[in-house]
Amino acid sequence: MKQYRTLIHDIFAEIRKSRSRFLSILCIVFLGVGFFSGVKSTCPDMKETAQQYFEDQNLMDFQLKSTMGFTEGDIDTLRGQPGVEAVAPAYSLDAFVQVDESTSVLVRALSYELGSEDDPDALNQPVLKEGRWPEKEDECLVEHGIYAGERFQVGSQITLFLEEGDLSDALSVKTFTVVGVVESPLYINFERGSSTLGNGSVRSFLYLPADAFAYEAYTDVYLTYQKARGMDFYDDAYQEWADQQADRLARLATQREKTRHDEIYEQAKAQIDQAQQELDEGQAAYEAGKQEYEEGLSLIHN
């Protein structure tokens, strides 16, 4: 007990000798505890805010992409999968936009269904920050806070292009009037994705009317599931469930790839057979004509 009282006496004696240093350390400890407490309390609030935002904008559970594209048959197959609530086929492409005489930026153009802002079931609904929604196929939406300046203001015009080749197979319209500025639930951080074009870094995104795209097949499909309603996107249970669904979708993709291969093979075979039939008919007509010609020559000479 005497040793304990001695220890306490020595501690307070040391504090009195270095009072200013003790108070400085004590303030640092209080500051650290306060900062840690703020971080611990802020994180759940941030997650809850993000969760509400994703639900309000009807963010997809899965985005599917295919180099072959998605046909109506693929879309119908996805709609028939157990638990699927909504299927939204879409288009996307990467292209350049000229900012000034010497500078261009690589952007990702996403399809936007005209009138979808009034559809409560529309997936990945952007948030309009300025201007209005597009009403025609040559009107577009640009990203809120984009660095490119006046070129991306409401009322300006932008033209999409490629450094090599053209966009005729991808777009029926290449020049658009900016009518609105939006935020998108697809992009909640500073990254805009990678690309095989330019330096490989997408700098911004645009929304173009779906009618402006000229693709024969969809490039993307967005899915939501009934079970995901009300689940916490940041919870481990959601991640585990999503991994299970991803495995099922991967197996389905393998089946659809074989089906698409067989469909393409049958179409190509039918075209070849039709061409061969036309060739045979043409050859038969040629032979018949040649025979008539030779018979005519024979009559003339006789």
Side-chain angles (χ1 to χ4, degrees), residues 232 234-241:
D232 186 347
Y234 293 98
D235 192 73
D236 290 340
Y238 178 83
Q239 298 301 323
E240 292 174 0
W241 169 84

Side-chain angles (χ1 to χ4, degrees), residues 3-21:
Q3 292 178 344
Y4 176 75
R5 288 197 298 269
T6 302
L7 177 62
I8 297 298
H9 178 271
D10 291 342
I11 290 174
F12 279 99
E14 187 67 28
I15 291 174
R16 285 192 297 270
K17 291 179 182 179
S18 55
R19 186 175 302 173
S20 60
R21 184 174 64 179

Side-chain angles (χ1 to χ4, degrees), residues 53-268:
Y53 175 70
F54 294 151
E55 291 178 355
D56 290 344
Q57 307 315 127
N58 209 7
L59 182 66
M60 84 295 184
D61 293 310
F62 290 94
Q63 178 184 10
L64 309 182
K65 298 186 73 69
S66 172
T67 54
M68 297 177 63
F70 297 94
T71 64
E72 292 297 338
D74 296 324
I75 304 303
D76 291 339
T77 299
L78 289 169
R79 288 196 174 105
Q81 295 304 300
V84 170
E85 181 179 53
V87 179
Y91 305 103
S92 66
L93 66 85
D94 296 340
F96 293 93
V97 172
Q98 199 73 32
V99 177
D100 54 42
E101 293 182 357
S102 60
T103 306
S104 61
V105 294
L106 180 59
V107 300
R108 176 152 297 158
L110 309 171
S111 64
Y112 172 81
E113 293 290 342
L114 297 179
S116 61
E117 65 275 6
D118 297 323
D119 183 1
D121 296 324
L123 302 186
N124 313 318
Q125 184 70 325
V127 179
L128 186 67
K129 307 299 290 186
E130 181 184 348
R132 61 173 176 82
W133 300 104
E135 298 174 353
K136 299 183 294 184
E137 66 176 13
D138 61 349
E139 297 179 338
C140 73
L141 302 168
V142 297
E143 177 183 359
H144 177 63
I146 190 170
Y147 72 94
E150 295 182 358
R151 177 68 67 176
F152 289 81
Q153 300 299 316
V154 172
S156 62
Q157 286 193 331
I158 57 176
T159 299
L160 275 67
F161 67 94
L162 297 177
E163 292 181 339
E164 297 181 3
D166 60 40
L167 294 170
S168 299
D169 293 337
L171 291 176
S172 58
V173 180
K174 302 180 185 65
T175 299
F176 300 85
T177 300
V178 178
V179 297
V181 180
V182 296
E183 290 177 347
S184 173
L186 296 174
Y187 298 97
I188 58 173
N189 56 29
F190 295 107
E191 296 296 326
R192 295 295 177 260
S194 59
S195 175
T196 58
L197 302 180
N199 62 5
S201 178
V202 177
R203 303 304 299 272
S204 185
F205 64 85
L206 309 172
Y207 277 98
L208 310 180
D211 292 341
F213 288 84
Y215 287 126
E216 294 183 357
Y218 300 107
T219 59
D220 305 79
V221 177
Y222 299 104
L223 301 177
T224 58
Y225 282 77
Q226 296 171 351
K227 188 174 181 178
R229 288 286 185 181
M231 294 182 69
D232 186 347
F233 293 161
Y234 293 98
D235 192 73
D236 290 340
Y238 178 83
Q239 298 301 323
E240 292 174 0
W241 169 84
D243 290 340
Q244 295 173 359
Q245 300 307 315
D247 291 339
R248 294 190 179 95
L249 290 171
R251 292 193 294 270
L252 178 64
T254 301
Q255 299 172 6
R256 288 302 303 172
E257 286 172 2
K258 184 179 184 305
T259 301
R260 287 289 305 282
H261 174 273
D262 294 343
E263 290 174 352
I264 293 173
Y265 173 81
E266 292 299 329
Q267 290 176 359

